[in-house]
């Protein structure tokens, strides 16, 4: 016998950063909202991703800076200890992986949390275990992603780590193989290396951070090599064996061994489990396409990683704001991803906004690029050790505006702010060149890069 459906205004499946935000906005506006969460309210970001990894980065950066003391200021004895990092992650970031505070925050808005796995079982209908909800106004999908494990011989079934295993560790491994040289792989690689782990990064593509500018890959590769991280690019891994420790065989025949292996090769979704075919969506797809108001189907909105518009917390929360306004019938803003920012929190940070040179060319833009080396700027030179990097600007020559930028520098994510404004607001390059850039800041390198543009 099927359960009697309970009527509500909105059901949000998945309470990641965006799900939590949209559910709270709608409940706060007086709608009856059910948020469905199978794991922890808040999603990946606060418990296994952004927040704890940036606490790791903060600690690793302190070690990195202390090790630069001999080049700048005398002697410093550094004895790395993971205990304060592990304690901070357990006690401050994740409250021991307990979401009580997040649940209470949501319930204070008037929303109701239902624990379990939600599935669309008919248009406007969500089933969670033996509970059935009819959503009068709509369903919002924020299921996020799971770590993807590539089909490498011997990998499945081995005691591999994903980010969910690497974040809660109480001790750093002696040695670590990192499969994947994207943002997840590089942040963990540098953190653990700075705490004494012998790390090798294995990237299938010809360079690290292959989706970013080649100049950024060069700088970050040099920085990692200088800290003793092994970097193997191109070719990939053919075989993995675990016999007390991991052994991988690379395409060229080399074998590497380590105590642990971290898989950081991207993310996957399971749209079939979400039941999206019940509303006419392709359940074999990797993402849910959405329009500029996050509408995915009649009465269905999707937000976050699952939309494929940039797997970042800021994307998810941005989309949540737009979806909430649309559900509330407000004539609000529409999504505009031209100035999507992203920061890889390595040292130096790799920060990007908008299009890379190759993406801009592929999009038919008449491109001019302007590049400058951070170590050649006054501030980079003053900074000395640790002051290497690059600023690269991508201009649309016909329109006379920036369509993309990359900053690799100490605090590169902060320097990026000015360029994100320039891309977002389409500030004319002639106007940017008239700016006064404070001396001697890292952001002053932007002025040199602007001068290098052929616009
Ligand atoms: C190691 C790491 C570091 C990162 N660092 C950063 C960073 O510094 N900055 C940044 O912006 N981004 C970072 N990211 C990306 C960021 O974590 C995600 O983009 C962010 O969590 C937003 O994801 P989301 O809103 O799509 O959902 P998620 O955070 O993935 O949450 C989705 C939620 O939905 C739940 N769920 C899924 N299916 C169902 C279902 N059927 N029923 C009920 N519940 C369901 C899940 O349990 C989960 O809690 C990082 C990612 C990783 C892996
Ligand atoms: N600071 C941040 O904002 C931040 C930090 C971490 C993650 N994230 C986001 O989370 C998502 C996941 O990050 P990610 O780094 O796992 O994924 P990713 O897709 O960005 O990078 C994965 C890397 O693994 C490589 N790869 C794939 N298969 C491989 C194989 N078999 N062997 C070796 N290398 C292989 C890819 O070429 C790629 O370089 C991304 O969208 C990222 O933007 C953001």
């Amino acid at each position: 016998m099927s359960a009697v459906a309970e009527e509500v205004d909105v059901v949000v499946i998945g309470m990641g950063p965006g799900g939590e935000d949209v559910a709270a906005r709608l409940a706060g506006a007086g709608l009856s909202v059910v948020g469905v969460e199978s794991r922890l309210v808040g999603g990946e970001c606060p418990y296994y991703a952004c927040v704890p990894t940036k606490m790791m980065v903060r600690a690793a950066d302190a070690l990195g800076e202390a090790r630069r003391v001999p080049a700048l200021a005398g002697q410093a004895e550094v004895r790395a200890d993971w205990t304060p990092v592990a304690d901070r992650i357990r006690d401050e970031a994740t409250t021991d992986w307990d979401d009580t505070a997040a649940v209470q925050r949501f319930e204070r808005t008037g929303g109701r949390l239902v624990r379990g796995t939600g599935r669309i079982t008919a248009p406007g209908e969500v089933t969670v275990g033996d509970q059935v909800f009819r959503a009068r106004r709509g369903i919002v999908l924020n299921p996020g992603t799971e770590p993807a494990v590539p089909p490498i011989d011997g990998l499945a079934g081995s005691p591999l780590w994903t980010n969910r295993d690497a974040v809660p560790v109480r001790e750093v491994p002696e040695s670590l193989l990192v499969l994947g040289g994207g943002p997840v792989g590089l942040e963990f690689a540098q953190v653990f290396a700075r705490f004494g782990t012998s790390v090798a990064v294995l990237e299938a593509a010809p360079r690290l951070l292959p989706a970013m500018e080649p100049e950024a890959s060069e700088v970050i590769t040099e920085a990692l090599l200088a800290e003793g991280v092994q970097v193997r690019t191109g070719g990939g891994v053919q075989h993995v064996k675990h016999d007390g420790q991991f052994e991988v065989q690379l395409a060229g025949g080399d074998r590497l061994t380590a105590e642990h292996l971290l898989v950081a090769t991207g993310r996957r979704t399971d749209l079939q489990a979400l039941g999206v075919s019940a509303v006419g969506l392709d359940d074999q797809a990797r993402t849910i396409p959405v329009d500029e108001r996050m509408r995915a189907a009649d009465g269905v909105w999707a937000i976050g990683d699952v939309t494929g518009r940039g797997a970042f917390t800021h994307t998810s929360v941005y989309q949540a704001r737009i979806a909430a306004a649309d559900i509330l019938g407000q004539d609000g803003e529409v999504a505009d991803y031209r100035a999507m920012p992203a920061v890889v929190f390595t040292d130096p940070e790799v920060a990007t906004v908008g299009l890379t040179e190759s993406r801009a060319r592929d999009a038919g833009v008449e491109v001019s690029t302007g590049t400058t080396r951070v170590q050649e700027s006054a501030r980079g030179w003053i900074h000395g050790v640790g002051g290497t990097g690059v600023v690269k600007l991508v201009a649309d020559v016909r329109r006379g505006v920036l369509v993309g930028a990359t900053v690799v520098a100490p605090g590169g994510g902060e320097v990026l702010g000015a360029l994100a404004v320039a891309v977002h607001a389409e500030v004319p390059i002639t106007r940017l060149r008239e700016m006064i850039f404070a001396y001697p800041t890292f952001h002053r390198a932007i002025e040199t890069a602007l001068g290098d543009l052929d616009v």
Side-chain angles (χ1 to χ4, degrees):
M1 199 179 75
S2 64
V4 178
E6 183 182 336
E7 287 230 353
V8 295
D9 288 323
V10 176
V11 178
V12 179
I13 304 182
M15 293 285 277
E20 202 186 345
D21 188 83
V22 76
R25 282 174 189 272
L26 296 174
L31 301 192
S32 59
V33 179
V34 163
V36 186
E37 175 53 54
S38 57
R39 299 171 73 226
L40 292 165
V41 172
E44 198 83 6
C45 179
Y47 300 102
Y48 298 103
C50 332
V51 178
T53 60
K54 264 78 267 176
M55 280 189 180
M56 292 179 175
V57 165
R58 169 76 177 115
D61 282 354
L63 292 176
E65 276 297 276
R67 291 189 181 116
R68 289 168 180 155
V69 166
L72 297 167
Q75 294 303 316
E77 194 189 338
V78 183
R79 262 174 291 138
D81 180 2
W82 189 253
T83 310
V85 186
D87 284 353
R88 219 179 149 210
I89 289 173
R90 184 194 56 205
D91 301 338
E92 294 179 39
T94 68
T95 337
D96 210 3
W97 291 272
D98 181 317
D99 65 357
T100 304
V103 173
Q104 287 171 350
R105 192 168 59 223
F106 173 51
E107 288 176 345
R108 274 198 300 272
T109 67
R112 174 173 149 211
L113 178 72
V114 173
R115 298 256 184 211
T117 301
R119 182 176 163 80
I120 304 180
T121 36
E125 183 183 280
V126 173
T127 300
V128 189
D130 56 8
Q131 290 175 280
V132 179
F133 297 95
R134 285 215 58 80
R136 283 185 290 254
R137 290 239 196 158
I139 298 168
V140 182
L141 302 174
N142 177 230
T145 50
E146 298 283 318
V149 177
I152 297 173
D153 183 35
L155 187 57
S158 72
L160 59 86
W161 278 0
T162 68
N163 63 298
R164 293 177 186 171
D165 306 288
V167 161
V169 291
R170 295 293 311 175
E171 281 175 22
V172 297
E174 259 179 51
S175 50
L176 179 70
L177 296 166
V178 177
L179 203 57
V184 171
L186 297 196
E187 288 180 358
F188 278 119
Q190 194 176 42
V191 163
F192 285 128
R194 287 182 163 189
F195 274 88
T197 303
S198 165
V199 178
V201 178
L202 316 174
E203 166 57 53
R207 57 185 176 87
L208 299 180
L209 299 177
M212 298 189 179
E213 296 283 9
E215 291 85 348
S217 305
E218 264 169 47
V219 177
I220 207 63
T221 303
E222 275 169 31
L224 291 172
L225 289 172
E227 294 193 37
V229 174
Q230 278 195 63
V231 176
R232 300 294 189 101
T233 52
V237 171
Q238 282 189 330
H239 180 77
V240 175
K241 201 167 82 182
H242 183 265
D243 185 9
Q245 66 170 2
F246 279 95
E247 181 183 279
V248 301
Q249 189 185 322
L250 304 182
D254 283 4
R255 287 170 195 272
L256 298 176
T257 57
E259 185 188 357
H260 286 286
L261 183 148
L262 171 68
V263 174
T265 51
R267 316 285 297 176
R268 67 175 182 83
T269 48
D270 184 353
L271 298 184
Q272 203 172 10
L274 206 54
V276 298
S277 61
V279 287
L281 296 171
D282 178 4
D283 65 6
Q284 298 304 309
R286 289 168 62 100
T287 59
I288 300 178
V290 288
D291 73 6
E292 59 194 11
R293 290 193 164 79
M294 307 307 134
R295 296 177 192 174
D298 198 22
V300 180
W301 286 255
I303 57 175
D305 291 6
V306 76
T307 64
R309 302 310 303 251
F312 310 109
T313 289
H314 44 267
T315 316
S316 189
V317 176
Y318 172 69
Q319 293 177 324
R321 182 173 81 209
I322 293 171
D326 196 37
I327 293 166
L328 290 170
Q330 295 164 353
D331 195 15
E333 67 190 308
V334 293
D336 171 4
Y337 302 104
R338 287 171 311 106
M340 176 64 72
V343 182
V344 185
F345 291 88
T346 43
D347 175 15
E349 290 179 358
V350 181
T352 66
V353 62
L355 300 175
T356 58
E357 178 182 357
S358 69
R359 289 233 177 88
R361 290 193 194 283
D362 290 348
V365 175
E366 189 186 327
V367 168
S368 172
T369 61
T371 305
T372 187
R373 298 279 154 184
V374 170
Q375 59 271 32
E376 289 164 15
S377 69
R379 180 56 182 275
W381 172 74
I382 292 166
H383 198 78
V385 58
T388 52
V390 66
V391 174
K392 179 171 177 179
L393 308 180
V394 181
D396 179 332
V397 174
R398 276 182 292 234
R399 291 194 301 133
V401 294
L402 297 180
V403 291
T406 294
V407 179
V408 188
E414 311 307 321
V415 174
L416 186 78
L419 292 163
V421 172
V423 175
H424 175 74
E426 301 184 323
V427 183
I429 289 166
T430 46
R431 191 86 184 105
L432 289 174
R433 284 187 175 135
E434 290 163 1
M435 269 178 68
I436 304 169
F437 295 84
Y439 181 88
T441 56
F442 283 113
H443 78 253
R444 198 171 151 82
I446 294 170
E447 185 178 40
T448 314
L450 285 167
D452 191 43
L453 288 170
D454 206 3
V455 179

